[in-house]
Amino acid sequence: MTNQNLFQNSIGRLFQQNNYQKQIAEIKSKSAIFSTKTEEELKEIIEKIKRRLNKETLNDILPDWFAVTQEVSFRTIGLKHFDTQLLSGILLHQGKVVEMKTGEGKTLASTLAVSLNSLSEKGVHVVTVNEYLAKRDQQSMGKIYKGLGLTTGLILDTYSTIKKQTGYNSDITYLTNSQVVFDYLRDSSSYEKQNLVQRPFNYCVIDEIDSILIDEARTPLIISENVGASNFQKLSQANELSCLLKKDIDFKVDEKRREVELTAEGYQLATQLLGKTTLFDPSDSYMLEILNALKANFVFKLNKDYMLIENKVVIVDEFTGRVMPDRRWSQGIHEAVEVKENVTVGDITKTKTGITYQNFFTLYPKLSGMSGTAVTTASEFDEIYKLKVVEVPTAKEMIRKDLPDLVYQTGAAKWKAVLEQTKECFQRGQPILIGTPNVEKSDIIAALLKASRIPHQILNAKPENVARESEIVALAGERFGVTIATNMAGRGTDIILGGNPIFKVKNRLLQLIDSLKLNLILEITPEVTEMLQNLLRDYQEKKSLEQLEEDCKNLPYSLETSFPSLTTIYQYFYKLESTVWKEENKRVQELGGLFVLGTERSETRRIDNQLRGRSGRQGDPGTSQFYVSLEDDLIKIFGGDNIRKVVDLLLDDKDSPIQGNLLTNSLAKAQEKVELYYFETRKNVFEYDEVINDQRKRIFKARKEILCQKNYETDFLYLSESFLDQYFSKSTYNEKKITGDIDTWFGNYSDQKNNTNKKEKSHDDKKYKEAWVSADLRYAHANEYDKRLLRKIKGKAVLEIIDFYWTEHIERMGFIRETIGWRSYGQQNPLIEYNVEAVNSYKAMYEQIQFCMIYYFLTESLLK
């Protein structure tokens, strides 16, 4: 059987599952009928389908809605969903993770499930990995949603509260993963109801779901507050000391766990140099500072883990290759790195609230996602998130050649071979994409290419390169194109063979406008001159040249709101560029398509597959190959001995590589070890965070209910009565203890409050009468003041009490989490022990809040 037949059979098998083939046939049949309708008739059909939801479910109207969405898509943006995209839309609606290869149209496929679920009028979130993609997708797919009578919103970090509220209240909201989490945390710590921006969660579609829920799952997102200045003198002493200690003698570095520990000799030397008898003095401990200084100097590396931007230490995401300017390492690591790099040291912070991606996204009643590389982590999606992964075949057969790895003994030999391969591709005109693991390695290959006078583009975390990200990626498929990239996940823009005509038009227009602003003489035809004059006149009279530049940068999405003169000149140049592109596309295909060269195996197969996936999109030819050395981090840490033995046995010449499936399989096994290790790490983070996740839900729920209450007088009286019940009804004050469910208030606040009726209390109970009289007298006195002011002051005071003790609880659990592992030496399960400590800490927090409330409500002034 031929490859083509096998390919067609794999598609057929998947389409037949769960009656998918019948559904897709029905969608296409209805779409053909809708294509004959006028605009007015189509609008009426859309409204009829929406009205059906009064009696039917989303599943019932799915075929009709997908069909009308397909037709609206074709009429608004000229694209009609492929069968594979229709299948992906069904799977996304079912709450599954869909793997679609790069270039197969994940963004368009998502519009089907997103628009269908938005009909519930509860809101749909489409989460992307960066703001560029969120903005691009909202603008491009927004035309489809507008044609369906739906509203779309965009959430950016710079937006005001009002603008965010508008965005979240739209039918469909586009935003980034970090933005939605931080808005949730800010809402959960707000003191003003009008500052809340989010509404209850409904349905979420995550683009690049494995990048967000797998790669970034190890790091919790936290909101911190400053608690004082760092002890710069102590940090400097620790940094100087770390430079005097010798690796493998005074301290050992665990490359795998990225941890450092002092040896007995190192501990003795450190105490001696500091003039102390112990490093664990409770009043002046140095151990944490010394370990952090060692990590900063021997584990965390410049241009790999972090960069220096504007005299600040900025973290580089190890998986996306992007900088994270708003993030800081915790437990003093960030401050230690700042001292090492001799930049301004930040203040000491205290975690106010936080949550992991793992626990946050499970707050959505319905969750689904898309990726080009999710199958390798299918078991983790199932175990942690209860999400099933389904691989959707490509619309056209994949013909890319994935060559076996080339393994070299030294890094120098590898870089020499990478340079030679790049020269070979460049000389014949074949575009090449060179993938590197970090900024440092991208600078190495860039220096080699510069010395060889090979023109190239660099895409890494440096700000000057990030600003041109979409342009660099879009033009990477041109003849003679040489592109270096640190990571290709979530770049959004496809690499089109022969270059991207849309970006060429944008660049051409921007160059013309810049030339006119500088009064340069342009060699253009009279026709183009007239179009340019009309364009400039429109913007000078009605908008501005700055707005013209902005509209040109946002082409083609800005055509919907710009002047007809911009549409005219855009279409003129696009027609010219398309003609050139068709010829260039053909020539690049004849050259073999895009050559993807990986300079190092990454820690996971998914990241390598993301790089490979940039070649061979939509049936294009292409080639991929990885160049590896025994000095690479992955091999040294996770698989070096076995692979080194094979290479030493078979190879005498250090500059010659070994190529074969045996070594490629050995590298794959090394990656599997890393994936298993990180999976256990993520699972461990999830299990420990899950312990307090239920507590977090209860606190946040109670807090929001209190924030949204209007009748504080009744609420405060209820609280007083509930405290009296708990502390005095069955025991004396001196024998008080927490009885029953400690969540009498937290998590069940509204239910308990609604069941409380002052008149039902026994009038013979003296303590209730005293509480009522005390409350009546105090509120009568408070009538002298503005009641709105009273509600605001009292409400904020209640929330401040809860927040203070919740923060104390979180910090306490953080310290316990750091040390709980030691209990394993006493034959105890650390996770079970952590559960016990979490419950005890939560009880202590609850009791402290109760005591504070009793004192506050029964003794303090209402306006204090």
Side-chain angles (χ1 to χ4, degrees):
M1 185 179 290
T2 66
N3 289 336
Q4 180 66 28
N5 289 335
L6 287 170
F7 173 71
Q8 294 296 339
N9 285 345
S10 67
I11 294 180
R13 283 194 299 272
L14 181 58
F15 276 38
Q16 288 168 8
Q17 291 175 9
N18 297 325
N19 214 19
Y20 292 139
Q21 193 173 38
K22 183 178 179 181
Q23 278 186 294
I24 290 171
E26 185 180 359
I27 292 167
K28 292 171 70 175
S29 173
K30 291 177 181 292
S31 182
I33 297 172
F34 294 155
S35 66
T36 63
K37 305 298 182 181
T38 65
E39 290 294 331
E40 291 302 317
E41 289 174 332
L42 197 62
K43 286 181 180 179
E44 181 58 31
I45 290 170
I46 292 170
E47 292 306 313
K48 282 183 178 179
I49 297 174
K50 289 179 180 178
R51 287 194 293 270
R52 284 170 56 189
L53 273 179
N54 295 328
K55 296 181 179 179
E56 299 180 63
T57 67
L58 292 177
N59 289 330
D60 294 329
I61 68 169
L62 185 149
D64 295 86
W65 186 260
F66 276 27
V68 79
T69 302
Q70 187 181 49
E71 180 58 27
V72 169
S73 173
F74 184 70
R75 295 189 186 191
T76 53
I77 64 174
L79 296 176
K80 204 163 192 174
H81 301 81
F82 299 143
D83 288 4
T84 52
Q85 290 172 322
L86 293 174
L87 174 60
S88 296
I90 296 170
L91 294 169
L92 287 172
H93 169 64
Q94 292 174 348
K96 292 184 171 64
V97 175
V98 176
E99 177 175 303
M100 295 179 71
K101 301 302 181 186
T102 301
E104 291 297 305
K106 293 191 292 291
T107 305
L108 183 62
S110 68
T111 59
L112 297 163
V114 167
S115 62
L116 175 64
N117 283 270
S118 71
L119 299 180
S120 65
E121 298 183 347
K122 296 178 182 179
V124 174
H125 291 172
V126 183
V127 174
T128 67
V129 294
N130 60 60
E131 290 191 344
Y132 164 75
L133 292 178
K135 188 176 181 180
R136 184 206 69 176
D137 292 352
Q138 190 257 348
Q139 290 176 330
S140 58
M141 299 299 107
K143 296 178 181 179
I144 300 175
Y145 300 132
K146 185 178 180 181
L148 292 168
L150 304 171
T151 60
T152 60
L154 175 68
I155 306 294
L156 300 180
D157 186 50
T158 55
Y159 278 7
S160 65
T161 299
I162 294 176
K163 210 167 183 180
K164 283 186 177 181
Q165 288 170 340
T166 303
Y168 278 115
N169 285 321
S170 301
D171 294 320
I172 300 156
T173 306
Y174 282 85
L175 70 173
T176 66
N177 51 303
S178 60
Q179 189 64 55
V180 68
V181 176
F182 280 123
D183 282 340
Y184 169 75
L185 292 176
R186 279 189 282 265
D187 276 5
S188 300
S189 56
S190 175
Y191 294 115
E192 301 287 346
K193 182 181 176 182
Q194 59 266 31
N195 289 338
L196 301 180
V197 297
Q198 293 180 338
R199 54 175 167 164
F201 296 148
N202 174 41
Y203 174 54
C204 178
V205 176
I206 306 176
D207 192 14
E208 303 297 345
I209 190 171
D210 53 342
S211 177
I212 295 170
L213 295 191
I214 304 296
D215 296 337
E216 297 194 44
R218 283 182 285 164
T219 306
L221 281 79
I222 61 175
I223 290 181
S224 303
E225 56 185 1
N226 291 339
V227 293
S230 299
N231 190 330
F232 182 74
Q233 182 179 358
K234 181 181 281 191
L235 292 171
S236 297
Q237 282 181 311
N239 185 64
E240 292 171 8
L241 178 64
S242 69
C243 298
L244 299 175
L245 300 178
K246 296 179 181 178
K247 187 178 180 181
D248 297 326
I249 298 176
D250 299 318
F251 65 93
K252 294 182 179 179
V253 178
D254 187 333
E255 299 283 356
K256 183 177 178 180
R257 296 172 55 242
R258 292 173 66 83
E259 292 289 343
V260 174
E261 63 178 18
L262 284 175
T263 62
E265 294 82 359
Y267 180 85
Q268 188 175 2
L269 178 59
T271 53
Q272 211 172 29
L273 291 172
L274 289 170
K276 292 184 168 292
T277 57
T278 177
L279 300 179
F280 294 99
D281 184 353
S283 62
D284 191 25
S285 173
Y286 266 83
M287 180 55 79
L288 180 62
E289 286 77 7
I290 291 172
L291 292 177
N292 284 341
L294 289 170
K295 287 181 184 178
N297 283 283
F298 296 96
V299 176
F300 290 82
K301 298 177 182 178
L302 179 65
N303 289 334
K304 180 181 179 183
D305 300 297
Y306 65 93
M307 296 176 64
L308 293 178
I309 300 176
E310 297 179 356
N311 205 36
K312 292 182 180 179
V313 172
V314 181
I315 299 173
V316 176
D317 188 292
E318 61 181 309
F319 293 102
T320 66
R322 292 186 172 88
V323 294
M324 300 187 289
D326 298 326
R327 303 271 189 96
R328 288 179 68 85
W329 289 303
S330 59
Q331 304 295 328
I333 292 291
H334 209 97
E335 291 80 2
V337 175
E338 288 171 331
V339 171
K340 166 194 170 184
E341 296 296 345
N342 196 27
V343 300
T344 303
V345 179
D347 292 337
I348 299 174
T349 59
K350 182 178 182 180
T351 300
K352 186 177 180 182
T353 186
I355 194 171
T356 62
Y357 283 125
Q358 292 166 318
N359 277 312
F360 171 77
F361 281 104
T362 56
L363 297 174
Y364 286 91
K366 185 175 179 181
L367 180 68
S368 63
M370 310 171 289
S371 173
T373 51
V375 170
T376 56
T377 50
S379 59
E380 184 167 351
F381 276 117
D382 187 24
E383 185 170 345
I384 302 296
Y385 303 102
K386 312 303 178 190
L387 293 172
K388 300 295 182 184
V389 178
V390 180
E391 182 179 9
V392 175
T394 54
K396 296 180 181 179
E397 183 185 3
M398 174 70 71
I399 61 173
R400 182 187 66 232
K401 298 177 183 176
D402 295 328
L403 302 179
D405 297 355
L406 294 177
V407 182
Y408 295 82
Q409 285 187 304
T410 65
K414 179 186 72 173
W415 290 117
K416 182 180 177 182
V418 169
L419 179 61
E420 290 302 317
Q421 180 62 59
T422 306
K423 284 181 179 178
E424 184 182 330
C425 287
F426 179 71
Q427 286 169 359
R428 67 171 178 263
Q430 182 179 13
I432 182 170
L433 174 66
I434 305 170
T436 61
N438 52 56
V439 177
E440 181 184 20
K441 299 294 174 63
S442 68
D443 286 342
I444 290 175
I445 189 63
L448 292 173
L449 294 178
K450 186 176 181 181
S452 301
R453 297 183 179 179
I454 297 177
H456 57 277
Q457 299 287 343
I458 306 177
L459 180 54
N460 56 28
K462 292 183 178 179
E464 63 270 22
N465 298 326
V466 173
R468 298 179 55 242
E469 175 179 323
S470 57
E471 177 188 351
I472 293 170
V473 176
L475 302 181
E478 289 185 313
R479 274 192 309 134
F480 302 101
V482 178
T483 309
I484 305 167
T486 53
N487 192 292
M488 290 308 298
R491 296 298 182 185
T493 309
D494 286 344
I495 297 178
I496 299 175
L497 300 185
N500 190 319
I502 293 176
F503 277 85
K504 290 187 176 183
V505 172
K506 289 165 61 173
N507 289 341
R508 194 164 178 177
L509 281 173
L510 288 168
Q511 288 170 3
L512 285 173
I513 293 167
D514 286 340
S515 298
L516 287 173
K517 287 169 65 176
L518 296 172
N519 295 318
L520 299 177
I521 299 174
L522 302 175
E523 295 183 5
I524 53 179
T525 64
E527 185 181 6
V528 173
T529 301
E530 183 180 354
M531 285 188 289
L532 269 175
Q533 288 174 346
N534 292 336
L535 180 66
L536 290 172
R537 183 174 61 252
D538 282 343
Y539 276 88
Q540 284 173 334
E541 292 177 358
K542 302 171 185 177
K543 289 188 179 180
S544 66
L545 290 180
E546 288 75 18
Q547 184 61 49
L548 173 58
E549 290 183 354
E550 188 66 25
D551 285 349
C552 287
K553 290 176 182 177
N554 288 328
L555 286 170
Y557 314 123
S558 56
L559 293 178
E560 191 174 351
T561 57
S562 63
F563 296 110
S565 53
L566 180 59
T567 303
T568 301
I569 197 168
Y570 171 81
Q571 291 175 342
Y572 174 83
F573 281 123
Y574 184 77
K575 186 177 180 180
L576 293 177
E577 290 293 347
S578 295
T579 303
V580 175
W581 170 77
K582 288 177 183 177
E583 184 62 32
E584 282 296 303
N585 178 267
K586 183 179 178 181
R587 295 177 70 176
V588 173
Q589 288 200 39
E590 291 170 351
L591 291 168
L594 179 68
F595 191 110
V596 169
L597 192 158
T599 60
E600 194 169 315
R601 280 286 190 172
S602 66
E603 292 181 335
T604 65
R605 290 167 292 172
R606 286 184 302 102
I607 296 177
D608 291 341
N609 291 337
Q610 287 163 0
L611 178 63
R612 271 197 168 124
R614 289 294 168 172
S615 178
R617 65 179 288 276
Q618 295 186 7
D620 285 341
T623 305
S624 73
Q625 190 166 32
F626 283 84
Y627 286 52
V628 181
S629 87
L630 299 182
E631 296 175 356
D632 292 346
D633 291 341
L634 174 72
I635 297 180
K636 284 194 300 183
I637 299 172
F638 288 96
D641 292 338
N642 294 333
I643 297 174
R644 187 179 295 277
K645 286 177 184 177
V646 174
V647 174
D648 289 342
L649 181 66
L650 300 177
L651 200 62
D652 292 326
D653 184 2
K654 291 187 177 182
D655 289 340
S656 299
I658 288 184
Q659 179 179 5
N661 291 326
L662 175 63
L663 284 171
T664 300
N665 293 336
S666 297
L667 287 167
K669 287 180 180 178
Q671 288 177 309
E672 287 176 13
K673 289 181 182 178
V674 183
E675 290 167 359
L676 180 61
Y677 171 74
Y678 283 138
F679 168 63
E680 292 299 329
T681 303
R682 290 189 294 266
K683 186 178 178 181
N684 188 260
V685 170
F686 176 75
E687 288 174 339
Y688 278 91
D689 192 52
E690 185 68 13
V691 173
I692 61 171
N693 190 44
D694 185 58
Q695 299 172 0
R696 183 192 296 114
K697 288 178 181 178
R698 292 174 180 273
I699 285 284
F700 286 2
K701 179 184 177 184
R703 196 186 184 287
K704 189 170 184 179
E705 288 182 354
I706 293 169
L707 182 65
C708 296
Q709 295 305 313
K710 294 181 179 179
N711 189 359
Y712 278 105
E713 184 175 351
T714 302
D715 296 345
F716 295 161
L717 185 59
Y718 157 70
L719 291 173
S720 299
E721 292 172 350
S722 68
F723 296 149
L724 288 170
D725 284 339
Q726 182 151 340
Y727 282 91
F728 299 109
S729 60
K730 293 184 179 179
S731 59
T732 65
Y733 183 82
N734 292 328
E735 296 173 340
K736 65 184 182 303
K737 59 181 180 178
I738 296 179
T739 58
D741 183 6
I742 66 170
D743 294 319
T744 300
W745 181 29
F746 295 134
N748 301 290
Y749 171 72
S750 57
D751 295 336
Q752 293 290 332
K753 176 170 65 65
N754 292 335
N755 291 331
T756 300
N757 188 330
K758 179 177 177 180
K759 293 181 180 179
E760 293 176 1
K761 299 292 183 183
S762 171
H763 287 274
D764 297 328
D765 199 325
K766 185 178 178 181
K767 63 176 178 294
Y768 287 129
K769 290 182 179 180
E770 290 178 355
W772 298 335
V773 170
S774 175
D776 288 343
L777 289 173
R778 295 171 75 235
Y779 275 96
H781 175 68
N783 284 338
E784 301 173 19
Y785 304 94
D786 186 341
K787 286 189 176 181
R788 288 173 299 176
L789 174 63
L790 174 65
R791 285 198 298 269
K792 183 175 181 181
I793 293 173
K794 296 301 292 183
K796 184 178 180 183
V798 173
L799 298 177
E800 284 177 343
I801 291 171
I802 294 173
D803 287 350
F804 176 80
Y805 287 110
W806 172 251
T807 301
E808 292 289 311
H809 170 60
I810 291 298
E811 187 177 31
R812 188 160 55 239
M813 292 312 302
F815 289 133
I816 293 173
R817 174 73 180 88
E818 290 295 315
T819 57
I820 201 73
W822 291 98
R823 300 198 186 183
S824 60
Y825 291 103
Q827 306 302 314
Q828 294 175 316
N829 186 315
L831 183 60
I832 294 175
E833 291 297 305
Y834 185 78
N835 269 277
V836 173
E837 294 290 349
V839 171
N840 291 336
S841 177
Y842 187 65
K843 286 181 178 179
M845 174 205 73
Y846 182 70
E847 189 172 21
Q848 287 169 327
I849 291 175
Q850 286 186 315
F851 274 123
C852 194
M853 291 289 190
I854 291 172
Y855 180 81
Y856 184 77
F857 289 126
L858 300 183
T859 65
E860 286 295 292
S861 168
L862 285 173
L863 296 179
K864 185 174 179 179

